[in-house]
Amino acid sequence: MDIATFFHTLFIGISIAAAVGPMSLLCIQRTLTRGYLYGLVSGLGIASADGLYASISAFGLTALSDLLISQNWWIHLLGGIFLIYLGCRTALTLPARKAAHSVSVANLPRAYVTTLLLTLTNPLTILSFALIFAGIGLGATSSPLSALAVTLTIFLGSLLWWLILVSGVSLLRERLSATWLLWVNRLSGCGIALFGLLILLNIKF
C-alpha cells in the first residue's frame, strides 16, 4: 500500500465512523456519564465492527457478504429492538458523577461487546465499503497482504475518529452539572430509541 492509498483508506475509515447515528449518540452519552475510558472502549467496539466489515470487502468474500445481506431483515430486526431497549434504559438511568472516574474494569468488556454487536447489525455497511473501494480503485484487493493492510487502515481510521470524539466530549464533561448529565441521558436515550424505531419501520421483509 502506497502513502496515497493509505491516506485514502484512512479517510474512508474516518468518514464511515463520523456518520451521525445511534452509535455516535451512545458513545457520546457513555463518555459524558461514565467517563473517558468507557467511551473509548465503546468506540473501539465500533471500530472493530467497521474493520470486520471492511475485511469482507477487502478480501473479496462475496459468499459471506451475500449471506449477511440476504439475512439483513432479521439482523435489522434484532438491532432495532435492542436499540429501543438500550435507549429506554439509557433514558431512565441516573448518572453518577463520582463513579464515572473509576469505572470497573469488569464493565469494559460489556461496553465493547454492545457497540460491536450493534454496529454489526447493519450488514449493508459491507456494500458501502465495496462501493467506496471500487470508486477509489481498490476493489477486492489483489493479495491477502494488501487486504489486511486495507482492513487495518480502515480500523485505524475509525478508531482515530472515536479517539478524537471521546477526547473532546470528555473535556466538556467536567463543565456539566448533574442536572445536565441527567438530561444527556434522557435526550440521548430517546434519540437511540428513535433510531431503533426507524430501523424497525424501514425493514423490508
Side-chain angles (χ1 to χ4, degrees), residues 13 19 43-44 50 52 61 68 73-74 77 89 118 120 132 141 143 151 178 186 190 200 204:
L44 178 61
D50 287 342
L52 181 59
L61 303 178
L68 289 171
W73 71 269
W74 70 262
L77 177 65
R89 180 175 177 178
L118 279 172
L120 289 176
I132 294 173
T141 53
S143 71
T151 298
R186 289 175 176 174
C190 290
L200 294 182
K204 294 180 180 180

Side-chain angles (χ1 to χ4, degrees), residues 89-106:
R89 180 175 177 178
T90 299
L92 296 174
T93 299
L94 296 177
R97 288 187 61 86
K98 293 182 180 180
H101 293 284
S102 57
V103 174
S104 172
V105 175

Side-chain angles (χ1 to χ4, degrees), residues 122-165:
N122 186 16
L124 293 179
T125 304
I126 301 173
L127 290 180
S128 299
F129 281 121
L131 291 173
I132 294 173
F133 288 169
I136 65 173
L138 288 177
T141 53
S142 57
S143 71
L145 186 60
S146 297
L148 180 61
V150 168
T151 298
L152 291 177
T153 307
I154 290 290
F155 169 76
L156 289 175
S158 181
L159 184 59
L160 177 61
W161 167 255
W162 296 114
L163 178 62
I164 294 171
L165 179 66

Side-chain angles (χ1 to χ4, degrees), residues 142-200:
S142 57
S143 71
L145 186 60
S146 297
L148 180 61
V150 168
T151 298
L152 291 177
T153 307
I154 290 290
F155 169 76
L156 289 175
S158 181
L159 184 59
L160 177 61
W161 167 255
W162 296 114
L163 178 62
I164 294 171
L165 179 66
V166 168
S167 297
V169 172
S170 184
L171 292 175
L172 175 64
R173 185 190 185 283
E174 299 301 326
R175 303 185 180 185
L176 298 180
S177 65
T179 300
W180 275 106
L181 291 175
L182 176 61
W183 278 104
V184 165
N185 272 2
R186 289 175 176 174
L187 293 176
S188 59
C190 290
I192 292 168
L194 180 60
F195 272 111
L197 181 61
L198 290 175
I199 288 173
L200 294 182

